[in-house]
Amino acid sequence: MPELLIKYKDKRALNALIDFSKYFNFSILSSMPNNKEEAFSINGVAVLQGDSSIDTSDLEVIFSNRNINAKILREQAWQRKK
């Protein structure tokens, strides 16, 4: 089924689309979270806040005293194979 993304500023436009959907047999799906503080957009990609209830203490053993930094990861681990 074809899809269409519509951006609107006025709540009345959404109400009109909901009314049209009843007569023209299309569905409206909301892709944004209810709370604006939970997500923001970077280049059209929604970025959600992390879940602070996740326990990452098990990962501490893996990464402790390894002297790992971002530059070393980019140079060694993230290189594409040619």
Side-chain angles (χ1 to χ4, degrees):
M1 178 183 297
E3 293 182 8
L4 174 67
L5 174 67
I6 299 174
K7 295 182 180 183
Y8 59 92
K9 292 181 180 179
D10 191 359
K11 180 84 172 168
R12 293 182 298 162
L14 176 61
N15 292 335
L17 288 170
I18 291 171
D19 289 339
F20 289 143
S21 70
K22 295 174 188 173
Y23 298 105
F24 293 109
N25 194 21
F26 64 88
S27 59
I28 297 175
L29 303 173
S30 175
S31 62
M32 296 303 292
N34 292 336
N35 188 354
K36 290 259 185 188
E37 294 177 358
E38 289 182 8
F40 59 94
S41 180
I42 298 176
N43 293 335
V45 177
V47 178
L48 302 175
Q49 295 283 337
D51 186 2
S52 62
S53 66
I54 296 174
D55 182 20
T56 59
S57 61
D58 293 339
L59 296 174
E60 187 176 335
V61 176
I62 296 171
F63 293 105
S64 294
N65 300 323
R66 296 285 176 131
N67 197 18
I68 297 174
N69 63 30
K71 183 178 179 182
I72 293 172
L73 283 175
R74 283 192 301 272
E75 290 174 351
Q76 295 176 357
W78 292 353
Q79 296 299 313
R80 293 183 183 174
K81 296 179 182 177
K82 295 182 180 181

